[in-house]
Amino acid sequence: MSTNPETPVAEVKKKREYKDFGHEEEKATHAKVDMSEIQLRAEDLYDKDKVDLETIVVDDVFKLLQCTEAGLDSAEATRRIELFGPNRLEAEESNPFLQFLGFMWNPLSWVMEAAALVAIVVSNGEGMPPDWEDFIGIVLLLFINSTIGFYEEHNAGNAVKALMDSLAPKAKVRRDGSWSEIESAILVPGDMISFKIGDIVPADCRLIEAVNISIDQAALTGESLPQSKKVGDQCFSGSTCKQGEAEGVVISTGANTFFGRAASLVGQDDDSTGHLQKILAQIGSFCLIVIGTFIIAEIFCLYAGFRYHYRRGINDILVLLIGGIPIAMPTVLSVTLAVGAQQLAKYKAIVTRITAIEELAAVTILCSDKTGTLTTNKLTIDKTTLKTYGPFSPDDVILLAAYASRTENQDAIDACIVNAIGDTSRARAGIKLLDFKPFNPVDKRTEITYREESSGKLKRVTKGMTGIIIELCTRNKNEDLENRLEADVEEFAARGLRALAIAYEELDGDDHEAEGNGFELIGLLSIFDPPREDTKQTIDDAMALGVRVKMVTGDQLAIAKETGRRLGLGDHMYPAKVLKDGPEPGGRFNTLDEMILDADGFAGVFPEHKYEIVKRLQGLGHLCAMTGDGANDAPALARANVGIAVEGATDAARGAADIVLTEPGLSTIVHAIRGSRVIFQRMRNYSIYACAVTIRIVVCFSILAFAFKFDFPPFMVLVIALLNDGTIMTLSVDRVLPSSTPDSWNLAEIFAYAIAYGFYLTLSTIALVAICIRTDWFHRKFGVTFSGGMASAAHDHNDPKLHTVVYLQVAIISQALIFITRSHGWFFMERPSVALFLAFCLAQLISSIIAAYGDWGFTDIEPIEGGWIGIVWVWDIVWFAPMDLIKFAMKATIIKWLRERHETAVQLETKQAASGVPITRTQSRAASLHESLYSNRVSFLRRAANKVGFRQKVSVKPEELRRFSSIQAAQTGSVLARHPSRPAA
């Protein structure tokens, strides 16, 4: 092979351009004021008008930081923690008290709070005292719901925090004269730190020793290539050491680092709300409309029609307000999500945005990184494709390649070759090393000269780039060999495998520096990043769940296709440039959207490409999850419905992500999808139940008031609501099966089921009351009576015993409804959790005891005998039995029609998108005023916290870290890197 004489010129040109692209050369400076005026405090040390620790001579750094190369002692380090704070960006911590109040701040709670005011203020009339009992009961109900929600969410937060704490990075530091490993969070300016290949730089530092050091700053500045560093240079916190080892003195920590300064450039609080808040708003609106309609009807009917006294009508209205509002809904859904977050933490998935669990259940496409997620991120020798050309066997070729590899301070290629022989000690067993030439960018090969102990002969082996090695070979080299080699290399390239050639020669005599008898090509190794063992099965599992996996990688197209073939993903991969150029004219795709939807993956992808892919898939109506690991991935992570930071991701990526994985691989994501669908089913079951109970209470007691002038005591509705809420909380741990397809909120279905169940339960109560008032059938058949021994309630439609009978009937069958809504088939075929069943039994026992012994002067009820309790139980069982049939009838008729209509609408939208007609995407983070009211953490509470001094320190929200990682902030970071003396403002 001939050498192109222009190559050196091209290389020089490339180097010169690369140097211009990197950091500008900074000349050493001195403090701009007398150093004696500068005190050891953040205000002085990081005041660029006085001194620039990033560029002054290193000796001045030691003087200003009052430290030496021997490091600090423990006492001084502790003192400096007080001065400079911990070496981390503090995530904003919500005040527990305000978090608790947040559970009472949504329209559903407002209605209950309004009911409390009605009970204590508006009810105070006609010579009667305020309704203290109802007021206290309503406030108690609010506090119980808020307490449960706060407790569960707090517990989930603690579980997540514990898992995050386990990820705390470590740093090697010299303190008290000796080296030790500590958490990087307790580093302080003036500490002496050490790091080597593979380590994360724990704080901004100036190097005092640098041995062949190369630093990857891509996650911070966007530079794609590692930067060589020398003594005196600055290294940024969060960058990665790719080569060599170094020691340095810490010059800034926490918010004063390069990363911290860039984070300070981001915007203010983001009050956007999640998809779940939007659903809550719509369900809440449904309930409020139903309640409002019947309250208006009662006002006209009771006051204008029946000429009710003021106080009597108020009590009837209170019944609708208290009983109709699903006050526990925000709490139940929050508890369900919080418990779900704890469960996902067991799979090493940290949920940083709790409502992302609900969105993950609806994800239809998962865009996954290749390296480290689908693959092991460890180069491996593919023994099945190894080629041999000389007298050596494949195992011998690998062993000789291992001889020509370093056994310590290895690069990735040396490590994979040495590991390929199994027992790594064999890489030096039976030979005596005489000379070793490591890989360098000029020679592009390694070489070992050794003495074989068994024969005493001197031998030499070299491995490296194919073109370089074949040029070295002189023995047994011919055109056929070169043609064969070229064909093998092309085959490897087509499959995305990196080729590595091996050559061998023997030496005469004992001079290990002498020329040998000529190198002979003996083998060609293929190196690749193999798929993880569980990845293929995991992808199959994801597809079985209705989630399509698309590979999005920065690697070459051939490598992406080979990985796709091995994983069963397919090889319909496209280079990232198609996102700009679009499909070829006359090709199989008419639009870019069609191509993206069909693709199995994309190669050569940059962060902005990820963003574009997610944006277009969402435009086609899909909910997307996206994985990422670097700060530059943050825009795509933030854009995705669910952003997933993979194991080993940077702080910036974690800040932008909704879910953070602490274990490598795709299996954790699939576990999370399955878990999120279980959680979604629990929320859906509760939503149907809550809406049905609202209709059941409001319609039932309104009709009873209209038809019989029946005035149910408001306090007993409170008792029903309290027992219901206690039971329903256990839904958060109910036993449900995840759906096999992506879930979505079909509110039309939920409302349809709720209306059917609600009217049926209403009918069960009205029928019971009608029999009690119009006939004496129960007295004749079972000997039961009403107050004063009356056989029926015809004499008094508001007989206290009739109130008790209605209370018990409503309490039992309303709670039993949950067993219908939680099951897809016959209710007895799907076993509930032990907690739910026991809570139901306990609530019914309490209801029965209240019915038997409740004789409270402040509410209009009287105890009923055992005969009445038995009658009510049998009555409810008889009415409960056919409810599964109602469910099946709904599925076969109305629900089927609703689903067909929904599918038709989706297909129409997809066609419009494919034809280039823009469609409106369902935003994952809704921002309308009404929807935002359902967010537990609202802006006014945060402002109140600031004013009353609840917040003790300046902190950076996770959303702010997300915005720090945007493209604009990355560009700002590059400017800061090239001009570090410029004030970060």
Side-chain angles (χ1 to χ4, degrees), residues 40-42 76 78-85:
L40 186 66
R41 59 182 185 177
E76 177 63 16
T78 302
R79 187 179 78 87
R80 295 191 182 200
I81 280 281
E82 297 295 327
L83 286 175
F84 299 101

Side-chain angles (χ1 to χ4, degrees), residues 589-742:
F589 302 112
N590 296 322
T591 66
L592 179 58
D593 286 341
E594 283 184 27
M595 176 180 280
I596 291 176
L597 198 57
D598 174 79
D600 296 319
F602 294 90
V605 166
F606 288 105
E608 56 269 28
H609 297 137
K610 286 187 175 183
Y611 184 92
E612 182 68 16
I613 291 168
V614 170
K615 181 180 176 182
R616 287 184 173 273
L617 287 173
Q618 288 175 329
L620 291 170
H622 290 276
L623 267 71
C624 292
M626 169 65 80
T627 67
D629 58 2
N632 288 340
D633 290 330
L637 292 176
R639 173 75 192 193
N641 298 89
V642 182
I644 302 172
V646 298
E647 189 265 344
T650 62
D651 286 344
R654 289 177 183 171
D658 304 309
I659 296 175
V660 178
L661 305 184
T662 60
E663 279 191 352
L666 197 66
S667 60
T668 304
I669 300 175
V670 175
H671 279 307
I673 291 173
R674 193 176 285 113
S676 69
R677 292 190 184 175
V678 167
I679 296 162
F680 183 92
Q681 289 299 315
R682 292 169 181 160
M683 293 194 295
R684 177 184 176 276
N685 297 343
Y686 170 73
S687 298
I688 296 174
Y689 170 82
C691 293
V693 168
T694 291
I695 293 172
R696 185 259 193 287
I697 295 289
V698 172
V699 177
C700 173
F701 287 113
S702 293
I703 292 176
L704 288 177
F706 300 156
F708 303 109
K709 296 185 180 180
F710 181 82
D711 306 323
F712 193 69
F715 187 81
M716 299 315 295
V717 174
L718 264 176
V719 175
I720 293 172
L722 189 60
L723 292 175
N724 271 2
D725 291 353
T727 302
I728 295 307
M729 291 296 172
T730 58
L731 269 182
S732 61
V733 292
D734 189 26
R735 187 196 313 273
V736 295
L737 295 174
S739 62
S740 58
T741 55

Side-chain angles (χ1 to χ4, degrees), residues 15 82 95 120 125 144 169 187 333 340 364 400 477 483 525 597 599 686 694 769 795 800 834 837 851:
K15 287 181 181 178
E82 297 295 327
N95 178 267
I120 197 69
I144 289 173
L187 284 177
L333 298 187
T364 53
L400 289 173
K477 177 181 174 182
N483 289 340
L525 302 180
L597 198 57
Y686 170 73
T694 291
V769 173
H795 68 291
V834 174
F837 183 73

Side-chain angles (χ1 to χ4, degrees), residues 270 302 321 344 348 356 620 654 704 761 802 878 904 942:
D270 180 9
L302 302 186
L321 285 174
L344 292 182
K348 306 300 182 184
L620 291 170
R654 289 177 183 171
L704 288 177
L761 295 183
L802 179 59
V878 169
T904 302
R942 280 199 290 270

Side-chain angles (χ1 to χ4, degrees), residues 353-484:
R353 180 171 65 90
I354 198 167
T355 52
I357 297 173
E358 174 259 341
E359 293 181 46
L360 185 60
V363 162
T364 53
I365 293 179
L366 170 62
C367 298
S368 174
D369 274 344
K370 178 184 75 69
T371 306
T373 304
L374 298 177
T375 64
T376 61
N377 196 22
K378 293 180 181 178
L379 294 180
T380 303
I381 301 296
D382 188 354
K383 296 182 180 180
T384 61
T385 58
L386 188 148
K387 309 292 183 182
T388 60
Y389 305 99
F392 295 94
S393 68
D395 288 340
D396 290 337
V397 170
I398 294 176
L399 181 59
L400 289 173
Y403 287 166
S405 304
R406 299 182 71 164
T407 56
E408 54 188 31
N409 291 330
Q410 299 168 313
D411 60 20
I413 293 177
D414 283 352
C416 81
I417 292 174
V418 172
N419 289 331
I421 61 176
D423 183 1
T424 56
S425 62
R426 291 178 59 205
R428 292 294 180 264
I431 65 171
K432 181 179 179 181
L433 176 63
L434 301 177
D435 184 47
F436 188 89
K437 295 178 181 177
F439 179 89
N440 65 73
V442 177
D443 295 332
K444 294 183 174 58
R445 67 187 180 92
T446 64
E447 181 182 287
I448 184 175
T449 305
Y450 63 92
R451 185 184 301 277
E452 192 174 59
E453 293 179 351
S454 60
S455 64
K457 291 183 178 180
L458 293 184
K459 299 182 178 181
R460 186 175 288 140
V461 178
T462 183
K463 72 175 189 341
M465 289 184 62
T466 310
I468 300 294
I469 297 301
I470 195 64
E471 281 295 312
L472 284 176
C473 294
T474 57
R475 188 157 51 94
N476 296 331
K477 177 181 174 182
N478 53 50
E479 188 172 348
D480 288 341
L481 177 69
E482 292 194 48
N483 289 340
R484 183 181 163 197

Side-chain angles (χ1 to χ4, degrees), residues 557-589:
L557 182 60
I559 296 174
K561 287 186 174 183
E562 177 66 14
T563 305
R565 283 191 288 266
R566 292 182 183 236
L567 292 174
L569 268 179
D571 57 2
H572 289 172
M573 309 276 184
Y574 303 99
K577 66 177 183 179
V578 302
L579 297 172
K580 179 181 179 182
D581 301 340
E584 295 180 0
R588 54 185 289 219
F589 302 112

